[in-house]
Amino acid sequence: MPRISPTGLRPLPLARRTGRLPRRPRRTGWRRLVPTWRLTLLGLVTSLLLGVGLFALGMIVVKVPDAHAAATAQSNTWVYQDGTPIARTGQTNRQNVGLDKVSPAAQHAALAAEDRNFYHEGAVNLKGLTRAAFNTATGSTTQGGSTITQQYVKNTYLTQKQTISRKVKELFISLKVDATQSKDEILAGYLNTSYYGRGAYGIQAAAQAYFGVDAGRLDAAQGAYLATLLNAPSAYDVSTATPKGKQAAIDRWNYVLDGMVQQNWLTADQRAAVTFPQVREPKSAPGLSGQAGYLVGAATDYLTSHGIVTDAELARGGYTITLTVDAEREQDLQDAVQQQLTDNLSPDRRKKDADAQAGAASVDPKTGAVVALYGGSDATRHWVDNATRQDYQAGSTFKAIALAAALDSGARTQNGVRISPDTLYDGTSGRPVAGGTGTPYAPPNEGGTDYGRITLQQATDWSVNSVFAQLAQDTGLEKVRQTAVALGLPADTPGLAAHPSIPLGTATPSVLDMAGVYATLDNDGQQITPWIVKSLEHEGEQVKLPAPETAQAVGKQTAQAVTTMLQGVVSDPGGTGYRAQALGRPVAGKTGTTDNSRSVWFVGYTPELVTSVALFGQDPATGAQVTLDGVGGVSAAAGGKFPTQVWTAYMKSALAGKPISDFDGSSADNPLLSGPSGDSAATATPSGGTAPGTPSPSATVPSATASPTATPTGPGGDGTPSTDSSPTSRPTATRPAPTRTATPGPNPTTQPTTAPTQPAPGPTGQPGGRAQSAG
């Protein structure tokens, strides 16, 4: 009987009963027919087939996922027209480039450091992967054994976790990627997704961060250093590493170069000549402070509003945006604002100075390219871009548009006299406009000055409101609006409507908009919408940009005639823009000062360049529009003061060394600058007649001197220096015309007649509205 186990449930094993090992059980049945070695082989084959089945199942089940956001997110790089960096935007400092944009030396260095057999091996290093998996499972120190393909898969599709499940996924995804992508594509992906330290993802960002060059210009020494960083970015940054870390970096660098020699990517002689590269000190990525934020904002708006890219596409990054902005002229503009305005402001001592906000834009009139932009003191503190905002009235800078509308349409006065620079108008302040409907519009002149009968040229030089209100009525208010749009103002510009006050600048275009309008006049009437993006590149590929929009807005003779008239604003000693004479070049332009001096402007141009400068009054606490009177210690703000001074200082620097040239076209040959024969004998009688004692809005076209019925104190607030205290301090006003006889202006020593008593109507033509002051 067999012995019973202590539990009484089963017999004890034979070995415990006898102390001897049991015999091998005798094979019975079919097993007697199969040799032992064949059973072993069958087991191996079964296991192999099972493994193959599991592998096949893995290849079917494990899909190549979409690249995760961290791997695809890139920064956008914004640069000046010459490639100088402006800013980098985006959470990830990455800029993907094609392999053709990476130097061969840098490619070989990466291969020498990470996977020298990359082009001759499969996707997976089974030996290295097994070792890494075993170490992970046993808790030993993690050790990589991955090919470049595996590292690319890990960077792009997986996480950096050292787990068995992640390793298994890495295996299958790597095999699939290797089967569907070329070796060059995989290497490019690896170089673009690897982290190099200093916040730089990808070799392009790393090349800029460590050497200030593009990846295509990396030499062997630089490429070997970047390859060194792949092993331990922070520890091997020689600018910040410990002495031990620096030595380790140098050792690794030498290892990479030696590997390049072994692979015949570098000759021994070339290797001997290589020295350790000069690594740049780390610095923060270009941010959006100062003018950078305004430039990036304007370029972004241009790209999205023209349907070139969407906000979502920009957010994904990978773009290099080259602006038309000239780095030197951008600095010139900043310096001009600083020297002519900011240095004269003391907000701590004079609270009013905190209300001043400056904006400026400079445009090439021949191409429409924006060459400089000033959006405010700092984009990180003052968020609104003063160069593109559309909430402040343009004031008398709009009068240039009214001139263009009148001359281009062949408009006539109320009594049928064709309008020209010599046409006489009544410049009495507050005189009701003749020819309109409803309540007569009767805007006052700046300071209530009565000018009497003056020419349109004199009214332009001195920015006389009453004359331009009548001019717009004679031309047609809708015609003035249409001309504004044709010259370049957006049709949806706030306040741009055909109401009686339109010529006085009740619309609120941006500084950049007005630069575009004046660029059209400078460009012989051909309108080119200002543009700010020179080129766009996405991951090394050029993105096609639309050609700038162009159209003939007004006739060439019209544009040249308006230019000649606007030259008088500057060259007339009594003109509102006389300070711009200091440029020492032919200048045409117009000042603007709005109601209560909430904004003051000067938009001027030479044959080579157009620049618009404005100063806006804004309460820093509430954002409300406030007067600029008192800013900088100047009691009465005006466009002929700070804006003209900034304009002149900037243009001096921007045009330094450029030849001085005259505006094209001879004024003597332009029929728009004089009335047709017979007009000089005509007398002006407004439609419907005039009330007893009310002067006519226009009279004859004089052949020589205009004799005003009343003599003013001067051309208005825009041109008056802050130190002027009496009308006698202003010189006699004369009309400048290069090839025409000058028309003497009124005697500034004579006191004005009575000031107006009727308030100016608003945009609807009803009394009591706000009026625009003189330019």
Coordinates of all heavy atoms in Angstrom, one line a residue, residues 485-556:
V485 N -12.3 106.6 -51.3 CA -12.1 105.1 -51.4 C -11.2 104.8 -52.5 O -10.3 103.9 -52.4 CB -13.5 104.5 -51.6 CG1 -13.4 103.0 -51.9 CG2 -14.4 104.7 -50.4
A486 N -11.3 105.5 -53.6 CA -10.5 105.2 -54.8 C -9.0 105.5 -54.5 O -8.1 104.8 -54.9 CB -10.9 106.1 -56.0
L487 N -8.7 106.5 -53.7 CA -7.3 106.8 -53.3 C -6.8 105.9 -52.3 O -5.5 105.8 -52.1 CB -7.3 108.3 -52.7 CG -7.5 109.4 -53.7 CD1 -7.6 110.7 -52.9 CD2 -6.3 109.5 -54.7
G488 N -7.6 105.1 -51.6 CA -7.1 104.0 -50.7 C -7.7 103.9 -49.4 O -7.4 103.0 -48.7
L489 N -8.7 104.7 -49.0 CA -9.3 104.5 -47.7 C -10.3 103.3 -47.8 O -11.0 103.2 -48.8 CB -10.1 105.8 -47.3 CG -9.4 107.0 -46.8 CD1 -10.4 108.0 -46.1 CD2 -8.3 106.6 -45.8
P490 N -10.3 102.4 -46.8 CA -11.2 101.3 -46.9 C -12.6 101.9 -46.9 O -13.0 102.9 -46.2 CB -10.9 100.6 -45.5 CG -9.5 101.0 -45.2 CD -9.3 102.4 -45.7
A491 N -13.5 101.2 -47.7 CA -14.9 101.7 -47.9 C -15.6 101.7 -46.5 O -16.6 102.5 -46.4 CB -15.6 100.9 -48.9
D492 N -15.2 100.8 -45.6 CA -15.9 100.7 -44.3 C -15.3 101.6 -43.2 O -15.5 101.4 -42.1 CB -16.0 99.3 -43.9 CG -14.7 98.6 -43.7 OD1 -13.6 99.3 -44.1 OD2 -14.6 97.5 -43.3
T493 N -14.4 102.5 -43.6 CA -13.8 103.4 -42.6 C -14.9 104.1 -41.8 O -15.8 104.7 -42.3 CB -12.9 104.5 -43.3 OG1 -11.9 103.8 -44.1 CG2 -12.3 105.4 -42.3
P494 N -14.8 104.0 -40.5 CA -15.8 104.7 -39.6 C -15.9 106.1 -39.9 O -14.9 106.8 -40.1 CB -15.3 104.4 -38.2 CG -14.4 103.2 -38.3 CD -13.8 103.2 -39.7
G495 N -17.1 106.6 -40.0 CA -17.4 108.0 -40.3 C -17.2 108.5 -41.7 O -17.4 109.7 -42.0
L496 N -16.9 107.6 -42.6 CA -16.7 107.9 -44.0 C -18.1 107.9 -44.7 O -18.5 106.9 -45.3 CB -15.7 107.0 -44.7 CG -15.4 107.3 -46.2 CD1 -14.7 108.7 -46.3 CD2 -14.5 106.3 -46.8
A497 N -18.8 109.1 -44.6 CA -20.1 109.2 -45.2 C -20.2 110.5 -45.9 O -19.5 111.5 -45.6 CB -21.2 109.1 -44.2
A498 N -21.1 110.6 -46.9 CA -21.2 111.8 -47.7 C -22.1 112.9 -47.0 O -23.2 113.3 -47.4 CB -21.9 111.5 -49.0
H499 N -21.5 113.4 -45.9 CA -22.2 114.5 -45.1 C -21.4 115.7 -45.3 O -20.2 115.7 -45.7 CB -22.4 114.1 -43.6 CG -21.1 113.6 -43.0 ND1 -20.0 114.3 -42.8 CD2 -20.9 112.4 -42.4 CE1 -19.1 113.6 -42.2 NE2 -19.6 112.4 -41.9
P500 N -21.9 116.9 -45.0 CA -21.3 118.2 -45.2 C -19.9 118.3 -44.6 O -19.1 119.1 -45.1 CB -22.3 119.2 -44.7 CG -23.6 118.5 -44.8 CD -23.3 117.1 -44.5
S501 N -19.7 117.6 -43.5 CA -18.4 117.8 -42.8 C -17.3 116.9 -43.3 O -16.2 116.8 -42.8 CB -18.6 117.6 -41.3 OG -19.1 116.3 -41.0
I502 N -17.6 116.1 -44.4 CA -16.6 115.1 -44.8 C -15.3 115.7 -45.2 O -14.2 115.1 -44.9 CB -17.2 114.3 -46.0 CG1 -16.2 113.1 -46.4 CG2 -17.5 115.1 -47.2 CD1 -16.8 112.1 -47.4
P503 N -15.2 116.9 -45.8 CA -13.8 117.4 -46.2 C -13.0 117.8 -45.0 O -11.8 118.0 -45.1 CB -14.2 118.6 -47.1 CG -15.4 119.1 -46.6 CD -16.2 117.8 -46.2
L504 N -13.6 118.0 -43.8 CA -12.9 118.4 -42.7 C -12.4 117.3 -41.8 O -11.8 117.5 -40.8 CB -13.8 119.3 -41.8 CG -14.4 120.5 -42.6 CD1 -15.1 121.4 -41.6 CD2 -13.4 121.3 -43.4
G505 N -12.6 116.0 -42.3 CA -11.9 114.9 -41.7 C -12.7 114.3 -40.5 O -12.1 114.0 -39.5
T506 N -14.0 114.1 -40.6 CA -14.8 113.5 -39.6 C -14.6 112.0 -39.6 O -14.9 111.3 -38.7 CB -16.3 113.8 -39.7 OG1 -16.7 113.6 -41.0 CG2 -16.5 115.3 -39.3
A507 N -14.1 111.4 -40.7 CA -13.8 110.0 -40.8 C -12.6 109.6 -39.9 O -11.8 110.5 -39.6 CB -13.6 109.6 -42.3
T508 N -12.5 108.4 -39.6 CA -11.4 107.9 -38.7 C -10.6 106.8 -39.3 O -10.5 105.7 -38.8 CB -12.0 107.4 -37.4 OG1 -12.9 106.3 -37.6 CG2 -12.8 108.5 -36.6
P509 N -9.9 107.2 -40.4 CA -8.9 106.2 -41.0 C -7.7 106.0 -40.1 O -7.4 106.8 -39.2 CB -8.5 106.8 -42.3 CG -8.6 108.3 -42.0 CD -9.8 108.5 -41.1
S510 N -6.9 105.0 -40.3 CA -5.7 104.8 -39.6 C -4.6 105.6 -40.2 O -4.7 106.1 -41.3 CB -5.3 103.3 -39.6 OG -4.8 102.9 -40.9
V511 N -3.5 105.7 -39.4 CA -2.3 106.4 -39.9 C -1.8 105.7 -41.1 O -1.4 106.4 -42.1 CB -1.2 106.4 -38.8 CG1 0.1 106.8 -39.3 CG2 -1.6 107.3 -37.6
L512 N -1.8 104.4 -41.1 CA -1.4 103.6 -42.3 C -2.3 103.9 -43.5 O -1.8 104.0 -44.6 CB -1.3 102.1 -42.0 CG -0.8 101.2 -43.1 CD1 0.6 101.6 -43.6 CD2 -0.8 99.8 -42.6
D513 N -3.6 104.0 -43.2 CA -4.6 104.3 -44.3 C -4.2 105.6 -45.0 O -4.2 105.7 -46.2 CB -6.0 104.3 -43.8 CG -6.5 103.0 -43.4 OD1 -6.0 101.9 -43.8 OD2 -7.4 102.9 -42.5
M514 N -4.0 106.6 -44.2 CA -3.7 107.9 -44.8 C -2.3 107.9 -45.5 O -2.2 108.6 -46.5 CB -3.7 109.0 -43.7 CG -5.1 109.3 -43.1 SD -6.3 109.7 -44.3 CE -5.8 111.3 -44.9
A515 N -1.4 107.2 -45.0 CA -0.1 107.1 -45.7 C -0.4 106.5 -47.1 O 0.2 106.9 -48.1 CB 0.9 106.2 -45.0
G516 N -1.3 105.5 -47.2 CA -1.6 104.9 -48.5 C -2.3 105.9 -49.4 O -2.0 105.9 -50.6
V517 N -3.2 106.8 -48.9 CA -3.9 107.8 -49.7 C -2.8 108.7 -50.3 O -2.9 109.0 -51.5 CB -4.9 108.5 -48.9 CG1 -5.4 109.8 -49.6 CG2 -6.1 107.6 -48.6
Y518 N -1.9 109.2 -49.5 CA -1.0 110.2 -50.0 C 0.1 109.5 -50.9 O 0.6 110.2 -51.8 CB -0.3 110.9 -48.8 CG -1.1 112.0 -48.2 CD1 -2.3 111.8 -47.6 CD2 -0.6 113.3 -48.2 CE1 -3.1 112.8 -47.1 CE2 -1.4 114.4 -47.7 CZ -2.6 114.1 -47.1 OH -3.4 115.2 -46.6
A519 N 0.3 108.2 -50.7 CA 1.2 107.5 -51.6 C 0.6 107.5 -53.0 O 1.3 107.5 -54.0 CB 1.4 106.1 -51.1
T520 N -0.7 107.4 -53.1 CA -1.4 107.4 -54.4 C -1.2 108.7 -55.1 O -0.9 108.8 -56.3 CB -2.9 107.2 -54.2 OG1 -3.1 105.9 -53.5 CG2 -3.6 107.1 -55.6
L521 N -1.3 109.8 -54.4 CA -1.0 111.1 -54.9 C 0.5 111.2 -55.4 O 0.8 111.8 -56.4 CB -1.3 112.2 -53.9 CG -2.8 112.3 -53.5 CD1 -2.9 113.3 -52.4 CD2 -3.7 112.7 -54.7
D522 N 1.4 110.7 -54.6 CA 2.8 110.7 -54.9 C 3.1 109.8 -56.1 O 4.1 110.0 -56.8 CB 3.6 110.2 -53.7 CG 5.0 110.7 -53.7 OD1 5.4 111.3 -54.7 OD2 5.8 110.3 -52.8
N523 N 2.3 108.8 -56.4 CA 2.5 107.8 -57.4 C 1.7 108.2 -58.7 O 1.2 107.3 -59.4 CB 2.1 106.4 -56.9 CG 2.7 105.3 -57.8 OD1 3.7 105.4 -58.4 ND2 1.9 104.2 -57.8
D524 N 1.5 109.4 -58.9 CA 0.8 109.9 -60.1 C -0.6 109.3 -60.2 O -1.1 109.1 -61.3 CB 1.5 109.6 -61.4 CG 2.8 110.4 -61.6 OD1 2.8 111.5 -61.0 OD2 3.7 110.0 -62.3
G525 N -1.3 109.2 -59.1 CA -2.7 108.7 -59.1 C -2.9 107.3 -59.1 O -4.1 106.8 -59.0
Q526 N -1.8 106.5 -59.2 CA -2.0 105.0 -59.2 C -2.0 104.5 -57.8 O -1.0 104.6 -57.0 CB -0.9 104.3 -60.0 CG -1.1 102.8 -60.1 CD -0.1 102.1 -60.9 OE1 1.1 102.3 -60.7 NE2 -0.5 101.3 -61.9
Q527 N -3.1 103.9 -57.4 CA -3.3 103.5 -56.0 C -2.7 102.1 -55.8 O -3.0 101.2 -56.6 CB -4.8 103.5 -55.6 CG -5.0 103.3 -54.1 CD -5.2 101.9 -53.7 OE1 -5.6 101.0 -54.5 NE2 -4.9 101.5 -52.5
I528 N -1.9 101.9 -54.8 CA -1.4 100.6 -54.5 C -1.6 100.4 -53.0 O -1.1 101.1 -52.1 CB 0.2 100.4 -54.7 CG1 0.5 100.8 -56.2 CG2 0.6 99.0 -54.4 CD1 2.0 100.7 -56.5
T529 N -2.5 99.4 -52.6 CA -2.8 99.2 -51.2 C -1.5 98.8 -50.5 O -0.8 97.9 -50.9 CB -3.8 98.1 -51.1 OG1 -5.0 98.4 -51.8 CG2 -4.2 97.8 -49.6
P530 N -1.2 99.5 -49.4 CA 0.0 99.2 -48.6 C 0.1 97.8 -48.2 O -0.9 97.2 -47.8 CB 0.0 100.2 -47.4 CG -0.8 101.3 -47.9 CD -1.9 100.7 -48.8
W531 N 1.2 97.2 -48.3 CA 1.4 95.8 -47.9 C 2.7 95.6 -47.1 O 3.6 96.4 -47.2 CB 1.5 94.9 -49.1 CG 2.4 95.3 -50.2 CD1 2.3 96.4 -51.0 CD2 3.7 94.7 -50.5 NE1 3.4 96.5 -51.9 CE2 4.3 95.5 -51.6 CE3 4.4 93.6 -50.0 CZ2 5.5 95.2 -52.1 CZ3 5.6 93.3 -50.6 CH2 6.2 94.1 -51.6
I532 N 2.7 94.6 -46.2 CA 3.8 94.6 -45.2 C 4.5 93.2 -45.2 O 5.5 93.1 -44.5 CB 3.2 94.9 -43.8 CG1 4.4 95.2 -42.8 CG2 2.3 93.8 -43.3 CD1 3.9 95.8 -41.5
V533 N 4.0 92.2 -45.9 CA 4.7 90.9 -45.9 C 5.4 90.7 -47.3 O 4.8 90.7 -48.3 CB 3.7 89.8 -45.7 CG1 4.4 88.4 -45.8 CG2 3.0 89.9 -44.3
K534 N 6.7 90.6 -47.2 CA 7.5 90.5 -48.4 C 7.6 89.0 -48.9 O 7.5 88.8 -50.1 CB 9.0 90.9 -48.1 CG 9.9 90.8 -49.3 CD 11.3 91.3 -48.8 CE 12.4 91.1 -50.0 NZ 13.7 91.5 -49.5
S535 N 7.7 88.1 -48.0 CA 7.7 86.7 -48.4 C 7.2 85.8 -47.2 O 7.3 86.2 -46.0 CB 9.1 86.2 -48.8 OG 10.0 86.2 -47.7
L536 N 6.7 84.6 -47.5 CA 6.2 83.7 -46.5 C 6.7 82.3 -46.9 O 6.6 81.8 -48.0 CB 4.7 83.7 -46.5 CG 4.0 82.8 -45.5 CD1 4.2 83.3 -44.1 CD2 2.5 82.8 -45.8
E537 N 7.3 81.7 -45.9 CA 7.8 80.3 -46.0 C 7.3 79.4 -45.0 O 7.2 79.8 -43.8 CB 9.4 80.4 -46.0 CG 10.1 79.1 -46.3 CD 11.6 79.2 -46.2 OE1 12.2 79.8 -47.2 OE2 12.2 78.8 -45.2
H538 N 6.9 78.2 -45.4 CA 6.4 77.3 -44.4 C 7.2 76.0 -44.5 O 7.2 75.3 -45.5 CB 4.9 77.0 -44.6 CG 4.3 76.0 -43.6 ND1 3.9 74.8 -43.8 CD2 4.1 76.3 -42.2 CE1 3.5 74.2 -42.7 NE2 3.5 75.1 -41.7
E539 N 7.9 75.7 -43.4 CA 8.7 74.5 -43.4 C 9.6 74.3 -44.6 O 9.7 73.3 -45.2 CB 7.9 73.2 -43.2 CG 7.1 73.3 -41.8 CD 6.4 72.0 -41.6 OE1 6.4 71.1 -42.5 OE2 5.8 71.8 -40.5
G540 N 10.2 75.4 -45.0 CA 11.2 75.4 -46.1 C 10.6 75.6 -47.5 O 11.3 75.8 -48.5
E541 N 9.2 75.7 -47.6 CA 8.5 75.8 -48.8 C 8.0 77.2 -48.9 O 7.3 77.7 -48.0 CB 7.4 74.8 -49.0 CG 7.9 73.4 -49.0 CD 8.8 73.0 -50.2 OE1 8.5 73.6 -51.3 OE2 9.7 72.2 -50.1
Q542 N 8.1 77.9 -50.1 CA 7.6 79.2 -50.3 C 6.1 79.2 -50.4 O 5.6 78.3 -51.1 CB 8.2 79.9 -51.5 CG 9.7 80.3 -51.3 CD 9.8 81.4 -50.4 OE1 9.0 82.3 -50.2 NE2 10.9 81.4 -49.6
V543 N 5.4 80.1 -49.8 CA 4.0 80.2 -49.9 C 3.7 81.4 -50.9 O 4.2 82.5 -50.6 CB 3.3 80.4 -48.6 CG1 1.8 80.6 -48.7 CG2 3.6 79.3 -47.6
K544 N 2.9 81.2 -51.9 CA 2.6 82.3 -52.8 C 1.8 83.4 -52.2 O 0.8 83.1 -51.5 CB 1.9 81.7 -54.0 CG 1.7 82.7 -55.2 CD 1.0 82.1 -56.4 CE 0.8 83.1 -57.5 NZ 0.2 82.6 -58.7
L545 N 2.2 84.6 -52.4 CA 1.5 85.8 -51.9 C 0.8 86.5 -53.0 O 1.3 86.5 -54.2 CB 2.5 86.7 -51.2 CG 3.3 86.2 -50.0 CD1 4.3 87.2 -49.5 CD2 2.3 85.9 -48.9
P546 N -0.3 87.1 -52.8 CA -1.0 87.8 -53.8 C -0.2 89.1 -54.2 O 0.4 89.7 -53.4 CB -2.4 88.1 -53.2 CG -2.1 88.2 -51.7 CD -1.0 87.1 -51.5
A547 N -0.3 89.4 -55.5 CA 0.3 90.7 -55.9 C -0.5 91.9 -55.3 O -1.7 91.8 -55.1 CB 0.2 90.8 -57.4
P548 N 0.2 92.9 -54.9 CA -0.4 94.1 -54.4 C -1.5 94.6 -55.3 O -1.3 94.6 -56.6 CB 0.7 95.1 -54.2 CG 1.9 94.3 -54.2 CD 1.7 93.1 -55.0
E549 N -2.6 95.1 -54.7 CA -3.7 95.6 -55.5 C -3.4 97.0 -56.1 O -3.0 97.8 -55.3 CB -5.0 95.6 -54.7 CG -5.4 94.2 -54.1 CD -6.5 94.3 -53.2 OE1 -7.2 95.4 -53.1 OE2 -6.8 93.3 -52.5
T550 N -3.6 97.2 -57.3 CA -3.3 98.5 -57.9 C -4.5 98.9 -58.8 O -5.3 98.1 -59.3 CB -2.1 98.4 -58.8 OG1 -2.3 97.6 -59.9 CG2 -0.9 98.0 -58.0
A551 N -4.7 100.2 -58.9 CA -5.7 100.8 -59.7 C -5.4 102.3 -59.9 O -4.8 102.9 -59.1 CB -7.1 100.6 -59.1
Q552 N -5.8 102.8 -61.1 CA -5.7 104.2 -61.3 C -6.8 105.0 -60.6 O -8.0 104.9 -61.1 CB -5.7 104.5 -62.8 CG -5.2 105.9 -63.2 CD -3.7 106.1 -62.9 OE1 -2.9 105.2 -63.0 NE2 -3.3 107.3 -62.4
A553 N -6.5 105.6 -59.5 CA -7.6 106.2 -58.7 C -8.0 107.6 -59.2 O -9.2 107.8 -59.3 CB -7.1 106.4 -57.3
V554 N -7.1 108.4 -59.6 CA -7.4 109.7 -60.2 C -6.4 109.9 -61.3 O -5.4 109.2 -61.4 CB -7.2 110.8 -59.2 CG1 -8.3 110.7 -58.1 CG2 -5.8 110.9 -58.6
G555 N -6.6 110.8 -62.2 CA -5.7 111.1 -63.3 C -4.4 111.5 -62.9 O -4.2 112.1 -61.8
K556 N -3.4 111.3 -63.7 CA -2.0 111.7 -63.4 C -1.9 113.2 -63.2 O -1.2 113.6 -62.3 CB -1.1 111.2 -64.6 CG 0.4 111.6 -64.4 CD 1.2 111.0 -65.5 CE 2.7 111.4 -65.3 NZ 3.5 110.8 -66.4

